[in-house]
């Protein structure tokens, strides 16, 4: 063992379901050597940690704007001093802002859909 290229040994414990998930991933890659697969994933695998703090703040600000618009519209309706075109313009503007935010959020979270599908597949294997 002293002459081995990799003398340090690491062990992990798995459930049968976890082992099935790993085997299915290995099969997708076309590898049968667990040691090579584990080394590659542990060394080259990456962690995705996305900070959505600013995007959440932006969404909260837009939500407040929408609330303010609704209050203005309510006051306009209760006092009777308004034009229907003005209200329609406010709603159209808010819809544009919301659509832009949704588009941006969708762009930011594209990878999450893929990760969710992988996670769902893993849960299905665990539940079988």
């Amino acid at each position: 063992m002293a002459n081995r290229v990799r003398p340090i040994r690491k062990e992990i414990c798995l459930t049968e379901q976890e082992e099935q998930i790993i085997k299915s991933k290995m099969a997708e890659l076309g590898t049968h050597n667990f040691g090579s697969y584990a080394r590659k994933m542990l060394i080259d695998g990456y962690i995705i940690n996305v900070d959505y703090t600013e995007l959440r703040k932006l969404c909260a600000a837009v939500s407040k704007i929408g609330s303010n618009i609704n209050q203005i519209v309510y006051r306009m309706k209760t006092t009777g001093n308004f034009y229907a075109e003005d209200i329609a313009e406010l709603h159209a503007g808010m819809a544009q802002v919301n659509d832009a935010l949704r588009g941006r959020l969708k762009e930011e979270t594209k990878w999450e859909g893929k990760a969710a599908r992988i996670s769902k597949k893993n849960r299905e294997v665990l539940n079988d």
Side-chain angles (χ1 to χ4, degrees):
M1 182 139 170
N3 294 331
R4 294 185 87 168
V5 176
R6 295 181 180 95
I8 300 170
R9 182 177 174 90
K10 297 287 182 182
E11 292 184 27
I12 61 168
C13 298
L14 304 169
T15 65
E16 290 179 21
Q17 293 85 4
E18 292 167 337
E19 184 180 29
Q20 286 302 111
I21 292 170
I22 291 170
K23 284 183 178 179
S24 70
K25 288 183 178 188
M26 287 174 59
E28 285 180 35
L29 290 175
T31 184
H32 300 288
N33 185 328
F34 175 75
S36 295
Y37 172 78
R39 245 187 328 278
K40 183 75 174 158
M41 294 305 290
L42 289 168
I43 292 170
D44 295 337
Y46 56 93
I47 297 170
I48 299 173
N49 187 7
V50 181
D51 183 13
Y52 291 114
T53 306
E54 292 302 315
L55 191 57
R56 286 189 182 113
K57 287 179 185 177
L58 179 61
C59 288
V62 169
S63 179
K64 288 177 184 176
I65 291 168
S67 294
N68 291 340
I69 290 171
N70 286 336
Q71 290 173 8
I72 292 167
V73 169
Y74 175 77
R75 262 188 255 136
M76 289 169 66
K77 285 183 178 179
T78 56
T79 62
N81 299 327
F82 67 92
Y83 294 100
E85 296 84 26
D86 292 338
I87 293 174
E89 187 178 337
L90 284 173
H91 283 290
M94 193 63 205
Q96 285 178 333
V97 170
N98 280 331
D99 289 344
L101 274 176
R102 283 191 193 104
R104 180 70 179 149
L105 188 60
K106 192 177 241 183
E107 284 179 31
E108 291 288 329
T109 58
K110 275 183 186 175
W111 69 271
E112 286 181 353
K114 185 175 183 179
R117 286 192 298 278
I118 292 168
S119 181
K120 181 180 178 189
K121 183 178 179 183
N122 292 346
R123 282 193 304 273
E124 288 170 357
V125 171
L126 284 171
N127 292 329
D128 286 345

